[in-house]
Amino acid sequence: MKFKAVIQGEGSGGQNQAMMLHVLQALQRLDRSADRRDKRACPCVVVKLTPETFAFCHKGGADEGSQTWSHFQVKKLFQEYRIESKRDNKIDLEAPIANLLHVFVSCAGGDKTTLRLSNGRDGRPVLGFEFNLAGNATDHKVDQEVPVRVIAEAEAEGLVEPALPEPEYQIELPGSVAKLRNVLERMRQVGAHFVSVQAAKEPPAASGPGGRERAFLRLTAEAELVEISTTFPGLFLVMEGKDAPSPEGPVTLLLSLKRLGEVLAAVQGLSAEAHIACVLENRALVLYALLPNSLGSLISYTP
């Protein structure tokens, strides 16, 4: 089993390393907000490696169907990438979030970071990081190790994204998710625990440039003696990846107000190029955050 990769730090200050740091910070925020059944367990992420993909999987809340994945484009992120294993060149690792964060905080400003799977001083597997830090007189080399658990094939094959049908609606959200967060916060302040999410097409007259269809997203929450409802109109429908057109009538689902707020808080710090909400009636909301420079995406599943 072998793995070695070199992250190319494009631009000043290693932008690719910095984006991986932001993704890990988002996953840590979701982990801290999760209701952990085993309080003693070390918060971890799964690092899934194949010849074509590099992904983080956050399993917190998976028992209730909540998961968050981040996929990176290997050719965009790495200038060198080699992997070998008896599992058709697939490797799955479990690593502590805090340790990964510590490393990426250190290497985020570097021009190049080398990752290597090896055995540590105690013979246990580690993911090694090698990078240079700028000094007053000269750069100095830094080596850090993150302890990992190599996940067995049977367990690894079960770590997959939820199998869901095609969403009725794929809607591009407003530029910043801060507006949605503010609405959810007002709902929480009046004592609401759940939010109804409704999506529907707008009349053809509301179509955007090039005839792109638009839709609205309506958030509604009820508490004792009060109801709050906010509508976000004129949002573009995203048809990429869809086989069937969106229905003419509205679709609705009920979500945990707490969970949806946590997801939006986590992705807000990513400076994503776009946020796309996929609405599956009475099943789930899937939020895509498209990372800058086509580096990849973060996907959060909220049932």
Side-chain angles (χ1 to χ4, degrees):
M1 182 183 302
K2 298 179 181 179
F3 172 71
K4 179 184 177 182
V6 178
I7 302 176
Q8 49 188 9
E10 293 186 351
S12 60
Q15 294 179 6
N16 288 348
Q17 293 97 311
M19 182 49 60
M20 294 187 76
L21 170 63
H22 295 327
V23 167
L24 287 167
Q25 288 171 334
L27 297 180
Q28 184 189 52
R29 183 161 190 163
L30 285 171
D31 191 274
R32 285 175 172 172
S33 62
D35 294 327
R36 305 186 62 83
R37 294 183 178 180
D38 185 357
K39 300 296 183 181
R40 298 170 299 175
C42 176
C44 292
V45 293
V46 172
V47 186
K48 296 184 74 70
L49 310 171
T50 75
E52 296 80 27
T53 61
F54 182 101
F56 292 129
C57 167
H58 176 251
K59 299 188 297 179
D63 291 342
E64 292 76 35
S66 300
Q67 295 187 38
T68 302
W69 291 68
S70 186
H71 300 272
F72 293 91
Q73 298 288 337
V74 167
K75 292 182 179 179
K76 286 273 189 178
L77 182 62
F78 301 102
Q79 67 181 28
E80 180 183 339
Y81 189 88
R82 290 183 289 169
I83 182 171
E84 295 179 24
S85 80
K86 295 180 180 179
R87 287 181 50 219
D88 294 327
N89 297 329
K90 299 177 184 177
I91 300 174
D92 287 64
L93 308 171
E94 186 177 61
I97 298 178
N99 296 58
L100 288 173
L101 273 171
H102 177 75
V103 171
F104 277 99
V105 166
S106 300
C107 72
D111 292 328
K112 186 174 86 169
T113 301
T114 301
L115 290 69
R116 185 180 285 104
L117 181 62
S118 61
N119 290 326
R121 297 178 182 86
D122 59 359
R124 297 180 180 180
V126 297
L127 193 58
F129 292 78
E130 178 185 309
F131 52 93
N132 290 325
L133 291 180
N136 293 330
T138 182
D139 293 351
H140 59 279
K141 176 181 165 184
V142 178
D143 292 290
Q144 295 186 9
E145 295 180 347
V146 173
V148 297
R149 176 177 71 91
V150 179
I151 300 174
E153 181 174 6
E155 181 183 351
E157 295 301 325
L159 294 171
V160 295
E161 295 178 67
L164 295 172
E166 180 178 291
E168 285 85 1
Y169 281 93
Q170 296 179 165
I171 298 175
E172 186 173 341
L173 298 178
S176 170
V177 297
K179 295 179 181 178
L180 278 79
R181 281 193 66 198
N182 291 339
V183 171
L184 296 181
E185 179 60 21
R186 291 201 302 271
M187 294 175 172
R188 188 192 65 80
Q189 288 173 353
V190 300
H193 297 287
F194 296 94
V195 56
S196 171
V197 179
Q198 184 184 75
K201 285 184 181 179
E202 292 190 339
S207 296
R212 285 186 65 185
E213 291 185 290
R214 291 181 185 254
F216 69 78
L217 200 65
R218 179 172 295 134
L219 307 179
T220 305
E222 296 181 2
E224 188 176 359
L225 303 178
V226 65
E227 176 182 295
I228 295 178
S229 183
T230 299
T231 301
F232 294 89
L235 305 177
F236 284 118
L237 283 176
V238 178
M239 300 308 295
E240 182 180 353
K242 273 183 66 63
D243 296 323
S246 297
E248 294 302 325
V251 299
T252 306
L253 71 154
L254 191 66
L255 300 174
S256 162
L257 184 59
K258 178 175 180 287
R259 169 66 185 180
L260 183 56
E262 290 164 352
V263 170
L264 293 177
V267 303
Q268 187 174 349
L270 294 176
S271 301
E273 291 183 344
H275 301 91
I276 299 172
C278 300
V279 183
L280 291 87
E281 187 169 26
N282 296 324
R283 298 197 61 167
L285 180 78
V286 183
L287 180 63
Y288 286 76
L290 306 184
L291 303 180
N293 303 317
S294 301
L295 197 60
S297 62
L298 184 139
I299 311 168
S300 188
Y301 298 84
T302 304

